[in-house]
Amino acid sequence: MSLCWKLAWSYVRRHPLRMVLAGLAIVASAGMVIWVVSRYDALMAQLAYQTPQYLGRYDFFLTPENPDTGFLPSELVEPLRQDPDIAELDLGLQWSVRVLPDRPEGFPGQGLGGGGMGGFGGMGGPGFGGGTPGGFSGGFSGPGGSGGVGPGGFREPSPKQSPTSSPGVGPGGPLAGGGSVGGTGGFAEPSAKTSPSGGSSGGAIGPGGGPGGLTGPAGPSFSKKGPGGPAGPGRRGMWFGSPKLVGVQSSLPPYPLREGRWIDPTDSRARLTVIAQPLAEAMQLNLGDEVLVISGTKEYRLKVVGILEQTSNAPTLQKRSPTGRPMLSGPGPTLGPPPLALYVPQSLAEKIARKPGQVNLASLKLREGADSRAFRQRWLDRLASAEPPLLLVGREELRSAMEEGMWAASARRQAWSATGMALLAAVFIIFTTLSMGVTERVRQLAVLRAVGLSRLQVAGIIVMESLLLGLLGWAGGLAAGWGMLQVLAWAKPELFDGPVSLGTWCIGLSGASALGGAMLAAIVPAWQATRVPPGEVLSPPAARRPRWVWLLGLATVGLILIGVNPLVVFVVRLPEEARYDIYAAVGCTSMALGFLALTPLAIVLIEAVLGPGLAWAFRLQSYLLRSQLSSHLGRTLGTTAALSVGLGLYAAMMVWGYSMLEPFKPGDWTPDMLVAFQLGGLPESEVETVRHMPGVLADQCLPLAVEQPRLAEDITGSRFGTSVTRQDNVIMVGVEAERAFGGPNPVFKLQFVHGSAEEAIQLFQQGRYCIVPDHFLTATGLGIGDRFSVVPPTRPDRPVEYTIAGAVRLPGWHWMTKFSGLRRRSGRAAALVFAPYEQVRKDFDLKEINFFWLNRDKQVPVDETGKALADLAQRYPGSPQPVNQQGTWAFAARMYGSSVRVTLPEDIYDRLIQRADSMIWTMCQLPLLTLVVSSLGVINTVMASVRARRWELGVLRSVGLSRNGLFRLILAEGVLIGLAACTVSLAFGVMAGWCGIGISQYVSFFGGMETPLVVPWTKMAGGFGLAWGLCLAGAFGPAIAAARQDPLSLLQEGRAAL
Amino acid sequence: MVVPLDVEGLTKRFRQGQVIIEALRQVTLRVEQGQFVAVMGPSGSGKSTLLHLLAGLTPPDEGRIRVEGHDLAGLSDYRRTLFRRRRIGLVFQAFNLVPNLTAEENILLPALADGRPRRELTKRLEYLLTQLDLQDRRRHRPDTLSGGEQQRVAIARALICDPAILLADEPTGNLDTLTGQNLCRLLHQLSKEQGRTILLVTHEPTVAVWADRIVVLKDGGLVHEFASSEHRDPQRLALRYQQIVGAELAAEVRA
């Protein structure tokens, strides 16, 4: 071994530049891992102190699995209290309420929360069918974290909580499932199973998003005012999450008081409350402020007397289907007190919630010295088997939930993604370096074999060189990563809680990528070295051209391997829960190997096909570029593969991202303006008034009857996992069929995939017929003529049945309805269903008109129409209409007055595209960074190529090739390598993106839509241009060095090498 | 006493496209202990192929090669490597020193590959450095040594493990005349004073004249052997060689 080490070291010393370049690339890739993984390390470190923070004074929380509907059985309370280990048992009720700041400028619709009038749900709103009507779980909304999926909880991420918690800082991003493309209010992807290349990146496209743990808002990308339109009075910045009233019995606060004092738990008449810090920040409340708490139809005014130092990082209970989709439409219940809490005496909470004597949150404090493990063991089974089942949540459970929470999971996925990419880049960079070394040292290796070194010893030399590169890369990466963090800590100290250090995951994963890559990379070159026969010492080395039979054979194998993934995704019938695992383990792996096997042929063909054109462009003789790449296929393959790791993934992200976005972009079917009257409503007589308003095309203006009823049966299969097409409710939109679909100029320009407009109009006249989106048929398995039942919120005991008259394409309906107010009961819906206007009004008891969909005269400014609508609305004031809270966000639509909410498709489109671009760009950062790192390998490759051809170049110079010509020749070779990498990467990206779209249909929350394959050529051009440019830049140095040498020295050096 | 080299019926074929070439055909040769044998022949006669086979760099198609009684043909690649390392010394025309190592390190290479500790080799190393007049050059890398010095390092490398036989392939090919003659004198001394068995391939009569015995190959076959003592003068040796090779040619023409 020492001899091998000695020979390896001597070779390294002889070729320092090559080793430095390769080492730099490994340093960069290891540094990249550290940059990304440091976030995870920081997160894990935070969890260590956040867990006790969340517990506060207590040791355990006890809560039903669904506190919205379940309560602690009274027969368990006394035995718990009697337990010898219990020092305190504080019983409380937590209940979703709607909260408004009680200020003169405040106005309904701008507060927080659900569960209010009309019973729309936030978290903990009453379940449907009980209590206040219409309480669906409210679909917790949080914008996806573009680079900012950090542990920020329900607010803008605390900068201290993660070094990469804000966009633009580090390449963290939502790469592994953090982000959702889909504009503001997009969600973090709940499942990692949406990436085109098997779990390495996530990102979800579409509006609304994952439930699941915690989502951190992206923060800076939001503006606090809505686009256009006069901002209504008292507007607050947007917030996400649902406030909860928490009843308390203890005279001590659960968390330290930040300001003010605690309440007297026995005095419910004082109408005082202590609020949690996240809520205070969200609503900009201070001590002494008053809030209106609305529950059902009643309002309670409470005065804030204290603010608690409560963490925003509250883990939630999250259940997933076997395919990885969430079981709930919104995030699960918190495992303890919610972050947006208002603490009141228990008796007051019971009164406000109208739940006398009910408890759904117990806080347990053990006595000093008690064994918490023993306590847990004693009670766990008994509590779990209670009716309803109860969760005993202590430090371990909280820690585990936090670690499985979305931020941690997202950070962990990103960490693994970064490691995987860095590992692959390292493998190919080191492989190329070693392979070049073996090729150049054939004679030397033969001498070593001739004088008596065994094959194993010769292989050992290569392995030692590789190990040296890996170690240098790892050490350098650690130093570089640590240095970057230090610089960041100096520049932005607010991002860090304490001194910067490299955590276990940083060190481990960076080591895995550097050393693991080194070992894997050494396999083939070491084997190549053992194949050098000792007899080679007595004959000069000959340049070997690849044999076509090998190339074609390898390419055939490659094509077969590539074909496996589409088969797994699109063809083979597999159980849904196994499909993703097979896709990731078998499909993606075989696809990657397949492209690797195809690459040699691709290189040869590109050289043959594009070489002449490139030679012409560089003003060279074509024969000069004829075999530069193919005669040294090993190093070209290694460099192309290294570049393709980043570039291929970049292309895959682009294809997948923009394809997944497509079904959510508002389509041509959408009329110009959707109007919601959110306070009160208009009588039938005012329809004509609206039709004749400035900017409204009279014959293109439809009043709508809108309700969001629950489906009577689970026809979409949402019980087995929710998605954008699998929910327990639909949005029914009653329209006048003739005006809506008929004639030469219908309001809705629908594309029917089943049935026709004429048939639908006829059937609508007969009664309960409807038009559904095409994906609804796919999700439910229903067809034209089939029926489904919905449950009117006002008459839950009398479901009504509708027959499907037609199916249409409705791209973008999610986004058109999300912020418009059309979603009256829940943040999610399975479909937008058109039905007869009068029938819907009758079935769902809709007396007033609250919605219009119209086309407008584009000559008239929108604001003019809006103002006219606002004036009309003022004549008909009334109660706030039921609406999901996203339909109240000021920034998300144009508000005119306090009632009129206007949604324009172009606004939606702009926001969506802007957000999508931002999200996808963030997802692509890591692959592009990998590309940049890999491009260092290009320099090595071109240098080696020049060195191998010195004699030939000397001859060319001797017979008349100018220095400039030689310079251009070397540059052209670099460009040719770039072209090879671009071609392979593009093919990989399209295939991976296509398969990623396919698998998303099964496992992603945003799957289920008809998703076309979109190749965003112009958007991808940037990345490919970068690759090309890097290759050109990489060839620059060697080209200059070669051009500067005089012919004689080239000849002499070349001859000496021979 | 075991004969250092005993070759019988050695044959080696190569494929060139569709054609099979017999590079060596039924060559039988025996080299006694302490003999210095030169192998001569025109280009393409099979000299280098013979050396490849004797060094165990490639296996024969037919025949037997015994070095110190060990049949090389029957050994696996690994065993042949070990044997070559320990019992055969190789000297090449192009020196073939490892450029990254010093002269001393190049010399020690086969012994270190055998796992022998450095301290065991110190005495042997010093002896060789002295004998080959390399003491002052021991820490120099090959690119700072003259041709003659490089070749002497190569000879020292070949001798570090005290091999049974020293095989040299055109060792003077890259040297000037004087240096080449000095090298031959050195090899002659090794043979006479140390009893080294040496087999040298050359096409130069001025080199072959230093050997005890000259073996002539032509078209893969051994055509003649004679003692150099019969022709001490290089010119006469050259004439004799030409006669042998020419006679063969004439015989071919007649046939």
Side-chain angles (χ1 to χ4, degrees), chain A residues 911-962:
Chain A
R911 182 173 290 120
L912 179 65
I913 295 302
Q914 191 185 29
R915 181 70 175 169
D917 285 348
S918 167
M919 292 297 301
I920 295 174
W921 160 243
T922 306
M923 280 162 40
C924 291
Q925 283 174 0
L926 200 52
L928 286 178
L929 195 63
T930 308
L931 170 68
V932 172
V933 165
S934 302
S935 67
L936 288 170
V938 173
I939 307 175
N940 252 343
T941 301
V942 176
M943 268 173 43
S945 171
V946 168
R947 191 168 30 246
R949 285 183 295 153
R950 275 173 297 190
W951 183 81
E952 179 194 324
L953 297 176
V955 169
L956 287 173
R957 289 279 284 121
S958 306
V959 301
L961 184 68
S962 66

Side-chain angles (χ1 to χ4, degrees), chain A residues 1-3 6-15 441 443-444 446-457 530 533-539, chain B residues 48 51-52 55-58 77-78 81-82 84-85 90 92-101 105 109-110 112-115 118 141 143 157 169:
Chain A
M1 250 325 127
S2 64
L3 176 66
K6 193 184 190 59
L7 287 167
W9 180 240
S10 68
Y11 179 73
V12 167
R13 280 190 1 240
R14 191 171 171 82
H15 296 278
R441 279 184 295 172
R443 198 178 190 108
Q444 203 186 110
V447 167
L448 293 173
R449 290 279 285 125
V451 301
L453 267 69
S454 67
R455 289 186 203 270
L456 198 61
Q457 286 170 317
T530 64
E536 199 87 29
V537 70
L538 296 173
S539 44
Chain B
S48 295
L51 203 78
H52 283 190
L57 298 179
T58 188
D77 175 80
Y78 179 62
T81 303
L82 291 183
R84 185 167 59 248
R85 179 195 295 174
L90 280 173
F92 306 99
Q93 176 180 352
F95 320 135
N96 283 339
L97 300 179
V98 180
N100 320 328
L101 304 178
E105 289 165 342
L109 200 52
L112 291 176
D114 211 29
R118 183 108 185 211
R141 290 214 155 74
D143 53 0
R157 180 178 70 188
D169 179 24

Side-chain angles (χ1 to χ4, degrees), chain A residues 26 422-432 513-514 516-522 638 642:
Chain A
I26 310 305
L423 178 82
L424 281 175
V427 164
F428 290 120
I429 290 167
I430 297 178
F431 164 80
T432 309
S513 70
M519 289 298 98
L520 285 172

